[in-house]
Amino acid sequence: MATGDSSVQVGPVPFKDVEDDGDMVTALPERPSEEHVGLVSALPCCTIADMKLRCYQGFWLPEGMVPAAAALQRRFEPRPSDVIVASLPKCGTTWLVALAFATLARRAYPPGAADHPLRRLNPHQCLPFLEGLFAGGREGKLDALPSPRLMNTHMPLAMIPGAVPAGGGCKVVYICREPKDMVVSLWHYLRRVHPDLEFSEVFDMACDGTTPYGPFWDHFLGYWRASAARPESVLFLRYEELLRDPAGNLRRLARFVGLPFSAAEEEGGVVGGIVELCSLDSLRGMEANKAGYMDPRVKFPREALFRKGVAGGWKSHMTPEMARRMDGVAADKLRATGLALP
Ligand code: PAP
């Protein structure tokens, strides 16, 4: 399905501008299609806030995404110039998506431009969501996009083996977050639609590895190991580092994708302009992020993506015992891997 690489660098274009399905750009399929029901229903199942998860090859995927995982494994063929933004939900996806889009598209859209796509679209509407397209049989839409394509996924690396095979593939930028903050963020998000959801329920599932796309440790590790083995193909970023030094990490990102900021851009304030455009306050203030839903069927408001945006918020949600338990799970699973969490 992959087409030849375009030598003319015109991408990335805001996906919503070329996608005719309106708000379905960010939508998840709720159920697997008829032809996949047999495959999916045989898998172990659990439920979080009405969302059915199925354990597929060791990862707990929203059940509508299982066929997408199988299809991605079989059919995803990246172009060498592609960039994939990857993350577990609630680890800083929206922020990284915005930063990556603003960086790769800065020639067409300087950060100060009044018509910048991030001033009229939610960041997620700017990128195709890989599994959303593959789940709905709409992956052909990727073929029509100009290079370089910028895409987004929550899938573990094991589900997109074509992304970084030895000696080929494309570039992947991953963002990792302190898992205690991730679980707090996930709970706040889910309770916008399920107000009775107990924090302890989401916490227990995270410790058991059964939150969406988890276990979190295996998700982190897949990308971590690939970044250690092929640093030119996988950039492993951390939410806490991005908070501490957004400009420094943005420069890393730009160098990694082969578009380092020039001296003229540095002098012209482009780095600061992108950091400012993509800051939590800036994005939260955009009309496109104040109204509307991530998915017209499941009413998660877009504004729920922009909450506190801090490191260490877990301290006001977890008892010391809960924190010890989750730290213990992470330490146990990550022991001797070289991956340390903040
Ligand atoms: P997603 O996976 O559903 O897209 P994601 O963007 O990864 O969600 O996570 C949302 C978290 O990122 C929220 O964290 P919190 O609940 O702990 O506050 C949100 O506030 C934070 N976030 C979103 N945009 C930004 C930003 N521009 N800068 C810093 N943090 C951000």
Side-chain angles (χ1 to χ4, degrees):
M1 58 152 279
T3 59
D5 221 2
S6 165
S7 57
V8 186
Q9 299 245 316
V10 290
V13 291
F15 190 56
K16 176 83 157 66
D17 291 352
V18 293
E19 157 68 50
D20 52 10
D21 284 355
D23 283 339
M24 296 307 283
V25 170
T26 52
L28 303 177
E30 280 173 293
R31 263 171 246 98
S33 58
E34 284 305 314
E35 62 173 308
H36 293 109
V37 166
L39 159 78
V40 172
S41 62
L43 299 171
C45 182
C46 73
T47 302
I48 181 165
D50 276 0
M51 189 200 304
K52 263 194 189 165
L53 305 179
R54 297 282 183 172
C55 188
Y56 181 70
Q57 298 181 357
F59 288 93
W60 290 89
L61 307 180
E63 72 168 5
M65 290 303 181
V66 172
L72 275 163
Q73 285 178 326
R74 277 199 312 272
R75 299 202 297 272
F76 178 58
E77 291 177 39
R79 300 175 192 163
S81 61
D82 284 348
V83 177
I84 300 176
V85 172
S87 63
L88 265 182
K90 308 304 155 202
C91 285
T93 322
T94 313
W95 191 12
L96 183 58
V97 159
L99 289 168
F101 181 82
T103 301
L104 269 82
R106 68 188 189 266
R107 289 192 187 132
Y109 303 106
D115 67 345
H116 198 289
L118 290 171
R119 294 200 160 84
R120 63 182 166 85
L121 298 173
N122 175 267
H124 289 276
Q125 294 177 302
C126 292
L127 271 63
F129 184 45
L130 270 185
E131 51 267 43
L133 291 179
F134 276 78
R138 297 182 298 147
E139 65 264 30
K141 294 193 182 272
L142 292 172
D143 293 344
L145 296 176
S147 297
R149 299 180 301 184
L150 180 61
M151 300 169 276
N152 170 221
T153 188
H154 284 317
M155 282 289 177
L157 188 57
M159 306 302 166
I160 43 171
V164 285
C170 61
K171 292 201 184 273
V172 177
V173 185
Y174 186 74
I175 187 157
C176 172
R177 189 178 190 187
E178 149 68 64
K180 299 195 291 303
D181 283 335
M182 176 204 68
V183 73
V184 167
S185 185
L186 179 62
W187 174 68
H188 276 288
Y189 189 72
L190 293 175
R191 64 196 276 265
R192 297 299 297 269
V193 172
H194 303 276
D196 297 333
L197 182 67
E198 298 281 349
F199 177 66
S200 59
E201 194 180 324
V202 183
F203 174 82
D204 284 342
M205 292 186 82
C207 290
D208 292 344
T210 59
T211 41
Y213 298 90
F216 67 82
W217 52 87
D218 283 334
H219 204 284
F220 293 169
L221 271 178
Y223 288 94
W224 166 258
R225 288 189 169 125
S227 77
R230 290 193 296 286
E232 68 291 351
S233 300
V234 183
L235 178 67
F236 193 91
L237 296 175
R238 294 168 184 269
Y239 183 83
E240 296 73 20
E241 284 294 305
L242 212 45
L243 282 176
R244 196 184 54 76
D245 180 13
N249 280 284
L250 185 64
R251 290 188 184 97
R252 281 181 73 198
L253 169 67
R255 276 196 304 274
F256 174 75
V257 298
L259 292 170
F261 293 104
S262 65
E265 285 181 312
E266 289 281 357
E267 273 169 38
V270 173
V271 176
I274 292 177
V275 168
E276 173 49 33
L277 173 65
C278 301
S279 70
L280 186 59
D281 284 346
S282 157
L283 293 181
R284 202 198 326 256
M286 308 287 182
E287 285 307 318
N289 298 327
K290 286 188 198 166
Y293 299 96
M294 293 304 291
D295 180 330
R297 298 158 310 181
V298 192
K299 300 278 183 183
F300 287 109
R302 288 206 188 106
E303 49 97 0
L305 288 174
F306 309 96
R307 203 180 61 89
K308 291 219 160 157
V310 297
W314 59 266
K315 289 175 193 146
S316 48
H317 290 78
M318 292 184 194
T319 62
E321 190 194 338
M322 290 169 100
R324 269 196 301 278
R325 178 176 161 205
M326 198 151 178
D327 287 346
V329 168
D332 200 33
K333 302 292 183 183
L334 300 178
R335 183 167 299 128
T337 65
L339 173 57
L341 296 177

